[in-house]
Amino acid sequence: MRVTVDGVPVDLPEGATLLSAVRAAGLDVPTLCHDDRLTPVGSCRACLVRVDGRLAAACVTPAAEGTHVRVEQDDLRELRRDAVEVIVSALPPYALEGDGELARLCQELAIEPEAAEGGAGRGRDDSHPFVRLDRDLCIACGRCVRMCAEVQGTFALTLVGRGSETMVAPGTGGPWGESDCVACGGCVDTCPTGALTEPGLPVGTHLATFTRTRTTCGYCGVGCALDVLVRDDEVAAVRPAKDGQVNRGHACVKGRFAHGYLRSPERLTQPLLRRRSGLEPVSWAEALDHVARRLRDAVAEAGPDAVAAISSARATNEENYLIQKFMRVVVGTNNVDNCSRLCHSPSAAGLTAAFGLSGGTDPFDDVERADCLLVVGANPIEAHPVIGARLLQRVLHGTRLIVADPRSVGLAEHADVHLRPRPGTNVALFNGLAHILSAEGMVDDEFLRHRATGLPELTATLEDYTPDRVAAITGVPATDLVAAARLYGRAERPAIVYGLGVTEHRHGTDGVRTLANLAILRGAVGTDRGYGVNPLRGQNNVQGASDMGALPDLLPGYGKVRDPVARGRAEQVWGTRLPEHDGLRIPQMFAAARSGHLRVLWIVGEDVATTDPDANRVIEALDACPLVISQELFLSETARRADVVLPAASWLEKDGTFVNFDRRFQRVRPALAPPGQARTDFAIVHALAEACGADLGCATPAAALAECGRVAPVFAGISHERLDREGAVPWPCSDPGRPGQARLYQDRFATADGLAHLAARPYLPPGESADDDYPLILITGRRWAHYNSGNMTRRSGAVELDPVDRLDVHPADAARLAVRDGAPVVVESRHGQVVLPACITEEVSQGQLFCAFHFPASRVNALTSSHADTVTSCPEYKVTAVRLRVRPEAQE
Ligand code: SF4
């Protein structure tokens, strides 16, 4: 479509507005109620233009072929200025202070500060820890309301009042702090006047004077690009980057606001060494000499396999690369693992077996274009909020949704079909869906003939998984199963998104394989007929930690340590022989410590005493190991038990890269220096190597990534310099001159035979089931305001939003056991006992309980078992048999 703007012809796509036409012609008009991400409303009248002789608000008026638009006419300029001036006149004078959107616009339009002469005394709402409302500055433009609905999908805000009294308010009617607001900060970011601000940055603040650093969020695996604003060596604000490739200007409460921990007085700022009296501050030299000496002694007395390291999914790729190199080259052992062992190791194993590579199959932008989403064992609304919000928007716009999850949370309330399988029955559920796909002819025969293998074996296995039998195993009604299979089976572009509800099971790898079967049967992977199978990674860099080879059986880039070719390539780059046998997995490390075989355990950025299952046994292991080194931000439960504590930098103090959930490398840049003597993990590993008399090379993080590319060709095309230029690059990417492969397997799968591998796996029962002694099943997971062990979020305002761990109990169970809402209850499993406040809710099914483990004091992982995935040792966090009783004093 072609229109002319002040005589300049411009070509526009169908559906474009006059505002797009104006901008395409290189001109601009003021806007106040407009945000490109939101539905235009044309209420402020600041963008008036003339179209074929009549006045129109450019933001809401569609462009039409042959239209003549006038912008730069004196009367139009005057009308636009008048529109803004009228709005400003109702505001108090301080509205034009600082360098916010309205203040900048008034400067451009030469509207003097004296024009602001209002101020109705409508008052403030400071009840929320992260969002402040000054009602006198609200111009009722509705941007915040639309942001909350159209981007975040929470619908927490509304406009109340009439005429000039109209203003924003929480939809629940009470104070903001008691509303449904999830503190994504979208309303604050879009507010043009400063009516909505965040603590410490009132209207009038000159943000342009702050130092601004672009980095990648260090909380979850979504990988939001963030701009960090620093003033006086403190983070003043974090803003989601509008050009962020994943988040597109959005963020969540954690990345946006939970940075208060950085300057917490509890930050570790000095190395600590255990003496008779306890942990005492020492110099770096003393701490490192102590570790180096004990390392040498342990290796001399018991061999290199008496040393093990738990690397960190919180640390950068370069730090993980260096840690695994230290273990393999300096110590001489493959005893290095990372917390993907506890979350997505079944994804790595299952996806590699099915398709050839360990990551998700498709970029999220594609997944978002699917016409049917199958979301399994994931609650992205809380655990991956930016992705949850993007998925929800697609569903609100018509994408069909199947949710498979025992709990009724997040996306489930918007699902066309919500399957609620009994915990531990995923394989039966997926086999049941596959049975229906096959039985009703909803499979891609052509794809199966040419691009897949294993169909006869699968077909034979599926005979046993009729809807009725699957209903009996899973508790999912057969009709729901059929409805879900038909939705997925008849979609043109189906996509699967899944989380830890698939992996953290005794048969987690089988769960991933049988879930992948569905995409293979449909030909919906490696083609343009669907968007594959995509895990939502939990920690910020859990993908990268594994990519970098912080695994006991795999080198950087997933070459097997037992493969002489892969080992030889690493040996050549590192200039030394490498151990040929697999190292210990995390649970094996703890077992080796308990049995006296492990002499040194080095734990980087993980609070294993809080987050790992069967916590009492983990603590036994820590107590039994002669030297435990904890590299941490805070004196975590693990650090308290360590012999040496090394103070580490946080993600906001580091240089390097992370890999997000859809395999994108993105840059991490330091916004400020670590406090006191704290150092980056990169610097600590180098210093430890030096203390051991070794030189790891790779003087900088950029050099480390470059060296990694020589060991692992799949990363050879990725460098810091390229990421600085391009923002993000997905792997595999072996050539610096070519883009990375965001969408995998278009020509062939990366398996040895180039085919997708169907898996014929029977349903096997979980490690624990409800019985007479322990009749309830506990599921664990995350809550929206917190992150993992909570070491960071508990030391920020997020703790005001969610101050305790609580146990979700179904009303029927609560009634049967005389549990009152909020009352403390004793939860007992075969492994431990804890006391938690009860929260009575129908989000859980009868017979099931749910709890997070964000507060170490609640010791939730004292309950969970040591049952683990039979292939990868990933713990069975999602199924623990427990019993419940009211604490005696709560009965009184
Ligand atoms: Fe950070 Fe994840 Fe939130 Fe994005 S969604 S801001 S990556 S925690």
Side-chain angles (χ1 to χ4, degrees), residues 279-530:
L279 287 167
E280 288 184 9
V282 294
S283 68
W284 271 104
E286 187 174 353
L288 292 168
D289 282 351
H290 181 87
V291 173
R293 185 164 32 81
R294 298 284 301 271
L295 263 177
R296 269 194 304 272
D297 292 349
V299 172
E301 288 166 18
D305 288 339
V307 179
I310 299 176
S311 197
S312 178
R314 321 303 321 282
T316 63
N317 291 319
E318 294 77 2
E319 291 168 337
N320 277 286
Y321 177 77
L322 219 56
I323 291 165
Q324 63 84 34
K325 184 176 177 184
F326 179 94
M327 294 303 290
R328 291 182 163 121
V329 172
V330 179
V331 181
T333 178
N334 283 314
N335 286 349
V336 58
D337 205 353
N338 76 84
C339 82
S340 71
R341 179 71 51 213
L342 280 68
C343 56
H344 271 293
S345 52
S347 292
L351 294 174
T352 302
F355 306 124
L357 293 174
S358 77
T361 58
D362 289 78
F364 186 70
D365 290 349
D366 281 357
V367 171
E368 205 184 26
R369 280 196 285 274
D371 60 349
C372 177
L373 293 164
L374 172 53
V375 179
V376 190
N379 180 11
I381 295 288
E382 293 195 55
H384 304 83
V386 165
I387 289 306
R390 283 181 65 178
L391 290 175
L392 176 57
Q393 290 304 326
R394 298 320 310 154
V395 173
L396 294 175
H397 286 85
T399 299
R400 309 304 296 273
L401 175 66
I402 308 154
V403 169
D405 195 299
R407 293 197 304 146
S408 182
V409 290
L411 290 169
E413 66 179 277
H414 303 277
D416 293 281
V417 184
H418 180 196
L419 310 173
R420 301 182 79 170
R422 291 188 187 103
T425 63
N426 283 339
V427 172
L429 182 80
F430 305 149
N431 280 348
L433 292 170
H435 175 102
I436 299 162
L437 291 181
S438 296
E440 299 197 4
M442 295 180 288
V443 299
D444 187 331
D445 293 321
E446 180 81 2
F447 180 90
L448 291 170
R449 249 193 314 277
H450 298 295
R451 297 201 59 194
T453 184
L455 185 60
E457 298 83 352
L458 176 63
T459 306
T461 299
L462 293 182
E463 280 177 18
D464 289 341
Y465 292 89
T466 60
D468 286 341
R469 177 163 183 257
V470 171
I473 297 170
T474 64
V476 172
T479 48
D480 288 356
L481 204 63
V482 171
R486 287 177 181 165
L487 270 181
Y488 183 81
R490 292 172 181 168
E492 288 182 15
R493 299 178 311 283
I496 294 171
V497 175
Y498 73 92
L500 302 181
V502 172
T503 56
E504 289 179 340
H505 288 280
R506 184 166 172 77
H507 304 289
T509 302
D510 284 354
V512 174
R513 294 294 310 271
T514 49
L515 183 59
N517 283 346
L518 305 179
I520 301 171
L521 287 170
R522 282 288 335 263
V525 56
T527 67
D528 56 6
R529 298 188 297 283

Side-chain angles (χ1 to χ4, degrees), residues 217 219-224 226 251-252 254-256 384-386:
C217 182
Y219 277 108
C220 88
V222 173
C224 294
L226 303 174
C252 80
K254 295 177 280 272
R256 181 74 168 70
H384 304 83
V386 165

Side-chain angles (χ1 to χ4, degrees), residues 589-611:
M589 293 178 191
F590 294 142
R594 285 190 295 264
S595 66
H597 292 99
L598 196 71
R599 304 286 181 89
V600 179
L601 180 56
W602 177 23
I603 305 169
V604 182
E606 300 288 340
D607 187 4
V608 295
T610 299
T611 59

Side-chain angles (χ1 to χ4, degrees), residues 549-815:
L551 293 167
D553 55 339
L554 297 169
L555 295 162
Y558 298 98
K560 290 189 168 73
V561 297
R562 280 178 282 173
D563 173 5
V565 176
R567 211 173 52 244
R569 196 165 44 230
E571 286 173 343
Q572 199 181 18
V573 176
W574 294 339
T576 187
R577 294 299 301 271
L578 296 176
E580 299 178 8
H581 57 278
D582 292 353
L584 298 175
R585 298 171 173 182
I586 290 172
Q588 294 169 325
M589 293 178 191
F590 294 142
R594 285 190 295 264
S595 66
H597 292 99
L598 196 71
R599 304 286 181 89
V600 179
L601 180 56
W602 177 23
I603 305 169
V604 182
E606 300 288 340
D607 187 4
V608 295
T610 299
T611 59
D612 287 35
D614 206 356
N616 292 330
R617 298 280 283 158
V618 173
I619 288 167
E620 274 176 39
L622 296 177
D623 292 345
C625 188
L627 181 68
V628 174
I629 307 150
S630 171
Q631 212 155 293
E632 258 299 354
L633 304 184
F634 297 100
L635 204 59
S636 66
E637 295 305 300
T638 304
R640 277 180 214 287
R641 292 172 168 83
D643 303 284
V644 182
V645 179
L646 303 176
S650 80
W651 58 278
L652 284 158
E653 299 152 350
K654 285 182 171 181
D655 178 32
T657 56
F658 293 152
V659 184
N660 82 334
F661 78 104
D662 65 353
R663 292 178 281 104
R664 288 176 225 228
F665 274 75
Q666 301 187 101
R667 285 283 276 124
V668 178
R669 300 183 183 88
L672 65 177
Q677 297 176 32
R679 297 180 181 179
T680 65
D681 294 307
F682 196 83
I684 296 172
V685 184
H686 265 307
L688 186 55
E690 199 179 318
C692 293
D695 179 3
L696 287 170
C698 317
T700 63
L705 187 60
E707 183 183 288
C708 177
R710 288 165 51 216
V711 178
V714 286
F715 309 131
I718 301 172
S719 65
H720 281 210
E721 183 263 331
R722 181 174 181 183
L723 293 170
D724 287 341
R725 217 174 43 241
E726 298 181 20
V729 179
W731 72 264
C733 180
S734 54
D735 184 338
R738 296 175 69 90
Q741 286 179 45
R743 192 182 304 156
L744 298 175
Y745 316 128
Q746 292 301 292
D747 302 322
R748 75 190 300 277
F749 290 92
T751 49
D753 57 11
L755 300 172
H757 286 227
L758 290 159
R761 293 281 187 277
Y763 161 73
L764 297 168
E768 297 201 348
S769 303
D771 56 24
D772 290 345
D773 291 335
Y774 297 92
L776 301 165
I777 292 296
L778 173 70
I779 305 168
T780 61
R782 280 192 211 164
R783 308 269 189 196
W784 65 278
H786 285 294
Y787 190 75
N788 218 26
S789 62
N791 271 314
M792 298 190 300
T793 49
R794 281 184 287 105
R795 294 177 173 95
S796 76
V799 78
E800 292 177 47
L801 299 170
D802 192 357
V804 289
D805 279 330
R806 57 195 177 280
L807 185 76
D808 291 351
V809 186
H810 188 273
D813 292 323

